[in-house]
Amino acid sequence: MTTRATRGPRRRTVVALAVILSVLAAFVVRLVDIQVVSADEHVAQSLTKIGAGDKIPGQRGSVVDAGGTVLASSVLVYDAQLSPKVIMQLEDKEPKVPWAEASEKIAAITGQTGDEVRALVAEALAKDSQSQYAPLKKSLTTEQYIELRDLKLAYLHMEGRETRVYPNGAVAGNVLGFLDGSGTAQAGVEQLGEECLAPIDGEESYRRGANGVVIPGSERTVEAVDGGSVQLTINSDLQWYLQQMVGEEARKQGAKGGTVTVVEAKTGKIRAAAEWPSLDPNDLDSSTPETRYSQIFHRDFEPGSTFKAITAAAVIEGAGLTPLSTVTASSRETFPNGAVINDAFNHPAYNYTLAGGLIDSSNVALSKFGTMVSPEVRYDYLERFGVGDKTIDFPSEVGGTLHPVSEWDSQSLYTTTFGQYYTVTAAQLAGAYQAIANGGEKIDLSLVESCTKADGTVATPDKPKHEQIIKEQTAAEITRMLENVAVQGGNAERIQVPGYRVTSKTGTAQVADPVNGGYKNGVYYTSMVGFAPVDDPQYVVVVTLDEPTKVVSSAATASAFQKAMTQVMKTYRVMPSSVPMDELLPKFG
């Protein structure tokens, strides 16, 4: 039997237990709400998302020449600034190093004078008495950074940034290209090799609470991957010489510009691509938009007489002609369709051999030889030799213009036999003669040798295309005729390379007048192309001059061609010719 005395405590115990269970139930409900029902919401309120943190920049890769000489690289530089307000505050407290003394120490490191440094601060204070910023010097080296840091000045601040430098200045500058202010490639190899050169930035990320405290264990680091190194086929020593030389020759001839292209005959590798005016990527402000790009790939022109050799290839294979085949040609003739063709010099009717037509560069003779095959055949040979196709897909490269046969009129039916009514670049011209020098086998030109990734992995471009575009015997016959051009032509004495048998062919192209239409009067784009040694062709050399004024014919390029070919033979230590030249080919039948 339960007494009144025992019922009171028991009731209180039950009530207390009920209260405790109610509180526990409330906690459980709340805990389920926090950890299950509203978990995502509460996490979002208490933490920042993953990814909050700092970017770890990767370094852009370098560009080197065929021998490993660095042509472009990225370095860390520092921009320094001062806090004028802090300087004045410290001056009021008599610092260990007074501003007058500190400014002299700073100037000695940055290459300024003490007066210049103090003037920067005074100028900033004059504009704002509470100024916290006065630029001191940009692009300081790591050594300068360390020296300034060691001064331990509270008002001196430095920020690091990556910048692109070109140690050899303008050497191959037009080929290398440049970056804009944001570090984006704008031209040349910088753009061509972007896939290899570009770094992959890393990141430091973490979670942190609403109060900004990083949550232990939430840190995550993705390391940056530096860009790879692009190796070019260019020989920078040869490039330097040819740039200096062609600049001197262009100025001597009063030309607007000049180029020299050197191609290895057996591989298609571009060993030099020299230009004047030259671009120094370190100093873009000293250049103009026209001189910031490679004219070797960007400028197309009518090749003129240099492509008479391609017409010769077409008629040798398409019409069964030989170097001794003949036509009768005067210096001016009117053809059955009304077209009028002129030679560059007056002469009576000659019974020209095919070799003689090339030696004297007779437009009339080549018109007659060329039309012994159909226009379609000649068009096919122009395509085979690369007219209308880009060479290496260089940034901003043009492919030249090759009009379809259906657009050839009565005049261009003949002018296309001697290099008019279509255009090529210097690179395409070099590629065409590479095929002749290489026994009729055309190899696509190349400029990039390899890409070495940051981890040491070496990647090479796809192997260049090889194609036998003319018979080996045809190439040999054209080579013999081109050697006779070099020996019997008007520039023979000026282009001799002692000890070496060379070929040559000149071209004089009229320059289009974009304002008035047609061609500029008395203005020409001149060129000369050849290869050596004839008995074992190793290198093709192309020289162009843009609108020379002292000598307006292609003879203007003779001196530059001779110097370029001589230097190429020396640079690569090519053995002198050991096989004597065949007997001279007759010009007339």
Side-chain angles (χ1 to χ4, degrees):
M1 176 176 183
T2 302
T3 65
R4 182 176 297 181
T6 58
R7 284 201 304 268
R10 182 178 295 177
R11 186 180 295 113
R12 287 194 295 272
T13 300
V14 171
V15 171
L17 182 60
V19 171
I20 292 171
L21 291 175
S22 298
V23 171
L24 286 174
F27 273 113
V28 169
V29 171
R30 182 58 176 159
L31 189 60
V32 170
D33 176 66
I34 292 174
Q35 294 192 346
V36 179
V37 179
S38 304
D40 293 340
E41 179 184 350
H42 292 301
V43 169
Q45 290 176 350
S46 63
L47 302 176
T48 61
K49 64 179 180 180
I50 290 179
D54 300 319
K55 182 179 77 172
I56 303 174
Q59 188 173 54
R60 188 175 180 83
S62 59
V63 180
V64 302
D65 80 343
T69 298
V70 176
L71 300 176
S73 62
S74 292
V75 298
L76 187 63
V77 297
Y78 297 85
D79 297 335
Q81 54 268 341
L82 298 163
S83 173
K85 180 179 179 180
V86 175
I87 291 173
M88 293 299 99
Q89 289 175 340
L90 291 176
E91 282 295 286
D92 292 339
K93 299 178 181 179
E94 297 184 0
K96 292 182 180 180
V97 183
W99 170 234
E101 180 183 345
S103 58
E104 292 292 339
K105 291 183 177 182
I106 292 171
I109 297 171
T110 62
Q112 298 164 285
T113 66
D115 287 340
E116 288 174 334
V117 173
R118 290 187 289 274
L120 291 172
V121 173
E123 183 179 346
L125 290 171
K127 293 179 180 178
D128 179 7
S129 61
Q130 300 298 308
S131 174
Q132 294 274 24
Y133 174 77
L136 175 61
K137 194 72 177 285
K138 289 186 175 182
S139 301
L140 296 172
T141 65
T142 300
E143 290 75 14
Q144 289 173 309
Y145 164 80
I146 293 173
E147 290 184 58
L148 289 171
R149 182 199 63 189
D150 290 346
L151 295 178
K152 297 181 180 179
L153 300 172
Y155 44 76
L156 177 59
H157 306 281
M158 290 171 286
E159 294 182 359
R161 62 180 172 84
E162 184 183 277
T163 189
R164 200 69 166 160
V165 296
Y166 302 85
N168 290 304
V171 175
N174 302 73
V175 174
L176 291 171
F178 56 93
L179 309 180
D180 63 14
S182 67
T184 302
Q186 296 297 304
V189 173
E190 293 283 20
Q191 195 169 3
L192 180 68
E194 178 68 13
E195 184 176 347
C196 176
L197 295 168
I200 300 174
D201 291 337
E203 184 182 53
E204 290 180 335
S205 60
Y206 45 82
R207 289 186 182 276
R208 61 187 179 188
N211 59 0
V213 176
V214 175
I215 297 175
S218 69
E219 299 91 342
R220 184 171 64 92
T221 299
V222 177
E223 297 293 345
V225 179
D226 291 338
S229 175
V230 169
Q231 183 172 40
L232 303 181
T233 59
I234 294 289
N235 180 312
S236 60
D237 290 337
L238 178 63
Q239 178 81 20
W240 175 86
Y241 171 84
L242 294 177
Q243 282 187 213
Q244 303 302 311
M245 183 275 292
V246 77
E248 179 182 338
E249 290 291 326
R251 288 188 290 267
K252 186 186 300 182
Q253 293 296 339
K256 294 169 62 177
T259 73
V260 183
T261 309
V262 179
V263 169
E264 197 167 72
K266 291 177 169 59
T267 65
K269 294 179 180 180
I270 299 171
R271 294 306 187 186
E275 305 182 35
W276 180 83
S278 301
L279 168 70
D280 183 351
N282 296 308
D283 185 16
L284 292 178
D285 291 339
S286 65
S287 65
T288 64
E290 293 75 22
T291 61
R292 290 177 186 171
Y293 303 92
S294 175
Q295 297 303 304
I296 289 172
F297 299 98
H298 188 256
R299 170 72 181 270
D300 61 332
F301 54 93
E302 292 185 344
S305 297
T306 58
F307 259 65
K308 286 175 179 172
I310 280 65
T311 298
V315 298
I316 287 173
E317 295 193 345
L321 302 189
T322 73
L324 300 182
S325 299
T326 61
V327 294
T328 300
S330 301
S331 57
R332 177 184 174 89
E333 291 196 21
T334 301
F335 285 79
N337 66 0
V340 177
I341 302 298
N342 299 287
D343 282 349
F345 63 100
N346 292 322
H347 62 82
Y350 288 145
N351 190 36
Y352 269 121
T353 62
L354 179 57
L358 289 177
I359 292 167
D360 280 357
S361 204
S362 169
N363 295 337
V364 177
L366 264 293
S367 293
K368 292 187 173 183
F369 281 121
T371 48
M372 290 181 182
V373 295
S374 69
E376 288 76 15
V377 168
R378 287 192 284 119
Y379 181 94
D380 173 58
Y381 275 82
L382 291 174
E383 276 194 319
R384 292 190 195 187
F385 278 90
V387 181
D389 292 329
K390 296 179 181 180
T391 58
I392 62 172
D393 204 20
F394 194 79
S396 77
E397 180 179 3
V398 298
T401 302
L402 179 57
H403 299 282
V405 172
S406 60
E407 295 180 8
W408 294 12
D409 59 18
S410 59
Q411 193 73 16
S412 56
L413 176 67
Y414 298 100
T415 60
T416 47
T417 67
F418 51 86
Q420 293 185 9
Y421 198 59
Y422 56 87
T423 63
V424 299
T425 62
Q428 288 172 316
L429 180 54
Y433 272 69
Q434 175 277 324
I436 298 172
N438 197 40
E441 182 186 34
K442 191 174 189 300
I443 303 174
D444 285 348
L445 301 188
S446 59
L447 181 64
V448 175
E449 195 78 70
S450 65
C451 166
T452 301
K453 296 291 187 179
D455 62 2
T457 303
V458 179
T460 56
D462 294 337
K463 290 184 178 180
K465 178 184 176 183
H466 291 234
E467 182 180 4
Q468 193 75 31
I469 61 172
I470 56 174
K471 298 175 183 177
E472 187 174 355
Q473 179 60 33
T474 303
E477 291 178 332
I478 296 172
T479 296
R480 187 181 178 192
M481 288 190 287
L482 291 173
E483 183 178 17
N484 274 265
V485 173
V487 173
Q488 299 188 62
N491 295 302
E493 293 184 1
R494 292 190 290 271
I495 64 172
Q496 290 181 5
V497 180
Y500 298 90
R501 293 167 55 191
V502 303
T503 68
S504 75
K505 194 71 191 80
T506 58
T508 306
Q510 293 177 289
V511 178
D513 186 342
V515 178
N516 302 311
Y519 294 108
K520 294 180 180 178
N521 186 35
V523 175
Y524 301 96
Y525 192 88
T526 64
S527 60
M528 183 176 285
V529 58
F531 51 86
V534 170
D535 44 326
D536 184 20
Q538 297 291 318
Y539 294 96
V540 177
V541 172
V542 175
V543 175
T544 71
L545 290 178
D546 188 0
E547 300 185 20
T549 56
K550 184 176 180 181
V551 177
V552 298
S553 71
S554 54
T557 59
S559 175
F561 178 83
Q562 193 276 340
K563 291 177 180 177
M565 185 65 80
T566 300
Q567 188 63 34
V568 170
M569 296 297 105
K570 288 180 179 178
T571 297
Y572 289 103
R573 300 180 181 180
V574 178
M575 292 296 293
S577 297
S578 58
V579 178
M581 179 183 177
D582 293 334
E583 63 178 321
L584 295 178
L585 291 170
K587 293 201 298 182
F588 311 113

